[in-house]
Amino acid sequence: MSASSPIRPVLPPDILARKGGTPLVVLTAYTTPVARLVDPHCDIVLVGDSLGMVLHGLPSTLGVTMDMMILHGRAVMRGLSRAMAVIDMPFGSYEEGPREAFRNASRLMAETGAPSVKLEGGAHMAETIAFLTARGVPVMAHIGLTPQSVNTLGGYKVVGRDAEAQKVMADAEAVAAAGAFAVVLEKVPEGLSARITQALPIPTIGIGAGARCDGQVLVVDDMLGLFTDFRPKFVKRYAELGAAASEAIAAYAAEVRDRQFPGPEHGFADVLPPKGAKP
Ligand code: KIV
């Protein structure tokens, strides 16, 4: 998009201004064609590190690298003209300290063109979030279930029931005070996520966190029925594209074996018809 483009892209201050308004629509994308599909409908497109599991067949997000995020981030940016991109900081690229986080966040932004990053963690990441935002890196935080910590959390469990609720609330308040422009609440009980949404001055984006958040995010391959290895309870399938693709591929295979494909309409004549002749 050029500076004179008539379509102004969504930017972090626009997202912040949507607090308490019409719910924010967020989906993931990892490729140019999917970015083109979601762009007209979404406020934010997340280049999530879920791409490690969804696209690359990894067992968790822990093996995702900076190079993978940059490759997919560039592809997504080519497909967006309106929605705001957020790019995930992969495991190991920001936890050591604010300076390492800035080095890698600025690389993600410079090499992809994405205007913001997301990182996982609550109060213990507040110093890093403040360091980044003070230096021109808009940060979306991610608390509750943080998949990069699956090994310390002991699985992909709901986070914030009973006594744990206080810690999740403290995490939410800490990332907001540090300057995050929005926060993802993943697998947080509904009542708690409603209280957090009410308490914070920044938008909450829920995934498995109930309907009272300021917005919702889903992994696009989950909601389209393209990723079927497992199905979290919070996923609603809006299409069954995986099943439709399987049927189409089986039909192609059968037609090739029966010599039904290609048909005459898919081939090329040996001799060109004379100019002006009807095809
Ligand atoms: O990586 C991802 O796709 C995410 C969303 C599930 C929020 O972090």
Side-chain angles (χ1 to χ4, degrees), residues 28 46 48-50 88 118 142 184 186 207 217 219:
T28 61
L46 172 66
D49 63 352
S50 50
D88 255 341
K118 175 164 83 60
H142 182 157
V184 169
E186 180 162 353
I207 176 161
V217 56
V219 169

Side-chain angles (χ1 to χ4, degrees), residues 107-145:
R107 188 175 160 216
L108 285 175
M109 290 171 71
E111 295 190 25
T112 65
S116 63
V117 302
K118 175 164 83 60
L119 57 79
E120 296 184 6
H124 67 288
M125 277 297 148
E127 186 192 349
T128 295
I129 293 170
F131 191 90
L132 293 180
T133 52
R135 287 161 179 77
V137 179
V139 178
M140 175 182 274
H142 182 157
I143 63 169
L145 171 61

Side-chain angles (χ1 to χ4, degrees), residues 93-210:
S93 71
Y94 60 95
E95 297 88 338
E96 212 176 304
R99 285 173 190 280
E100 179 205 37
F102 181 77
R103 203 164 44 248
N104 286 317
S106 57
R107 188 175 160 216
L108 285 175
M109 290 171 71
E111 295 190 25
T112 65
S116 63
V117 302
K118 175 164 83 60
L119 57 79
E120 296 184 6
H124 67 288
M125 277 297 148
E127 186 192 349
T128 295
I129 293 170
F131 191 90
L132 293 180
T133 52
R135 287 161 179 77
V137 179
V139 178
M140 175 182 274
H142 182 157
I143 63 169
L145 171 61
T146 45
Q148 292 175 8
S149 304
V150 60
N151 292 323
T152 42
L153 291 173
Y156 297 98
K157 300 175 193 160
V158 174
V159 176
R161 286 194 172 120
D162 309 319
E164 211 178 24
Q166 239 179 324
K167 181 187 176 306
V168 179
M169 177 61 89
D171 280 339
E173 287 171 344
V175 298
F181 69 86
V183 57
V184 169
L185 306 179
E186 180 162 353
K187 269 194 145 178
V188 170
E190 293 186 9
L192 173 60
S193 81
R195 289 199 298 283
I196 291 173
T197 300
Q198 214 165 21
L200 293 197
I202 62 171
T204 57
I205 314 289
I207 176 161

